[in-house]
């Protein structure tokens, strides 16, 4: 019954806003781009695409070369006999187990970060409490943690060792969640700022609790932001290297990035297995962006324009 009241109140507020003319469809005001400008922009974007794809193509070709072809001079691009020996060696080394461990860590991190970020963003956007603004500024200042915090590695290692939390299946998800949470809160809060507070007021007038509002109104309307935050949290956790190379040392718990580093041996880099493992490591990232990359744009821009 409470769900029905919340939905009815949300629909009534939306209808009132439309009838009052608060949400208007503005006519498009696009200016025609000159032909020369269009050609220049297309050329620049093509050049940028080539520069980004060139290392990927070179790494893929290198991963298919046998050892004699790797050290030929001048280097060959297509004039070689492709082989899958490098991929076979990588798979036999247990690399797929490292990929599975990384996937488990990333899924746990995404679920944990979103479950904590949504109510936190809702509280920062809808409630007034002491030190609200300084706390949110602290969260924004902590966003660079999503890129990995090498400066925090030593204190984290000391604390985790003292508490007996190192070398366990939950060690890296705890660290990843702490690193990615500020960015997730910031993204979701930007979307919540574009959701009218009249929906909350109408639902409260009908007897809904804040948990009901969060579940039945905020959650459905913030799905693009949740998707964008989830994608970025997944990519940041998947690519993390510093903490994952120190906090766990068990081969069964080792994630994918330190596993790639194992092919940089004492006697030099093993370019064939190294590039083959790197090509396998980017497959989940490519799949994630192919399926959910659209959510990044919609989730980051949904709260930028308010009606």
């Amino acid at each position: 019954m409470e769900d029905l009241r919340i939905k009815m109140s949300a629909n009534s507020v939306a209808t009132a806003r439309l009838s009052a003319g608060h949400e208007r469809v503005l006519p498009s005001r696009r200016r025609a781009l000159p032909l020369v400008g269009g050609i220049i922009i297309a050329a620049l974007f093509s050049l940028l695409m080539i520069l980004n794809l060139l290392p990927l193509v070179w790494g893929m070709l290198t991963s298919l070369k046998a050892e004699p072809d790797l050290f030929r001079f001048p280097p060959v691009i297509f004039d070689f006999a492709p082989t899958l020996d490098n991929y076979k060696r990588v798979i036999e080394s247990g690399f797929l187990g490292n990929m599975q461990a990384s996937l488990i860590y990333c899924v746990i991190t995404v679920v944990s970060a979103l479950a904590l970020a949504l109510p936190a963003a809702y509280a920062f956007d809808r409630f007034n409490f002491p030190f609200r603004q300084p706390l949110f500024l602290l969260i924004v200042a902590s966003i660079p943690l999503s890129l990995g915090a090498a400066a925090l590695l030593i204190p984290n290692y000391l604390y985790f060792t003292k508490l007996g939390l190192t070398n366990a299946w939950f060690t890296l998800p705890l660290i990843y969640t702490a690193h990615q949470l500020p960015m997730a809160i910031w993204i979701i809060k930007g979307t919540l700022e574009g959701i009218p507070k009249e929906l909350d007021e109408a639902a409260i007038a009908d007897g809904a609790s804040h948990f009901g509002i969060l579940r039945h109104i905020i959650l459905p309307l913030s799905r693009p932001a949740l998707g964008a935050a989830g994608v970025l949290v997944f990519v940041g956790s998947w690519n993390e290297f510093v903490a994952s190379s120190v906090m766990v040392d068990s081969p069964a718990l080792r994630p994918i990035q330190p596993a790639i580093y194992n092919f940089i041996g004492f006697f030099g880099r093993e370019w064939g297995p190294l590039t083959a493992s790197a090509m396998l490591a980017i497959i989940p990232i490519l799949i994630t962006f192919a399926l959910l990359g659209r959510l990044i744009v919609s989730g980051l821009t949904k709260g930028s324009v308010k009606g």
Side-chain angles (χ1 to χ4, degrees), residues 145 148-162 166 171-172 175-176 179 240-248 258:
L145 288 176
L152 298 178
L153 179 62
I154 294 178
N156 283 339
Y157 180 76
L158 293 177
Y159 286 135
F160 274 61
T161 303
K162 199 171 189 179
T166 57
T171 301
L172 293 179
I175 295 177
Y176 292 167
H179 287 181
E240 207 284 327
F241 172 76
V242 177
S244 59
S245 62
V246 175
M247 291 296 182
V248 294

Side-chain angles (χ1 to χ4, degrees), residues 28-154:
S28 178
R29 295 183 180 179
R30 297 181 180 177
R31 292 183 298 176
L33 190 66
L35 179 61
V36 177
I39 294 175
I40 294 176
I41 292 177
L44 291 176
F45 273 103
S46 300
L47 178 61
L48 183 63
M49 182 182 66
I50 293 173
L51 292 177
N52 281 276
L53 289 178
L54 187 60
L56 182 63
V57 174
W58 183 264
M60 182 181 64
L61 294 176
T62 303
S63 68
L64 297 174
K65 292 181 181 179
E67 188 170 353
D69 294 324
L70 289 171
F71 299 100
R72 285 173 59 179
F73 187 84
V76 295
I77 300 179
F78 299 107
D79 187 18
F80 66 93
T83 178
L84 296 177
D85 290 342
N86 295 321
Y87 288 94
K88 182 179 179 181
R89 180 181 171 187
V90 169
I91 293 174
E92 290 176 349
S93 69
F95 191 77
L96 294 183
N98 301 124
M99 289 187 68
Q100 181 180 1
S102 285
L103 284 173
I104 294 174
Y105 296 154
C106 291
V107 169
I108 295 175
T109 302
V110 170
V111 174
S112 303
L114 295 184
L116 295 173
L118 180 60
Y122 178 70
F124 276 111
D125 187 65
R126 293 299 202 257
F127 298 99
N128 290 319
F129 50 87
F131 306 107
R132 171 175 170 267
Q133 194 66 23
L135 286 175
F136 185 72
L137 291 177
L138 179 62
I139 289 176
V140 173
S142 301
I143 289 178
L145 288 176
S146 60
L147 303 177
L152 298 178
L153 179 62
I154 294 178

Side-chain angles (χ1 to χ4, degrees), residues 238-273:
W238 183 267
N239 291 330
E240 207 284 327
F241 172 76
V242 177
S244 59
S245 62
V246 175
M247 291 296 182
V248 294
D249 53 14
S250 172
L253 298 174
R254 185 177 297 128
I256 194 170
Q257 301 303 331
I260 296 176
Y261 189 77
N262 286 338
F263 294 104
I264 303 178
F266 179 78
F267 296 102
R269 296 171 177 83
E270 302 177 79
W271 289 109

Side-chain angles (χ1 to χ4, degrees), residues 1-9 203 206-209 212 216:
M1 194 65 183
E2 180 184 349
D3 299 351
L4 181 60
R5 289 199 303 268
I6 294 175
K7 292 179 181 179
M8 291 178 61
S9 61
D206 286 342
S209 62
H216 298 288

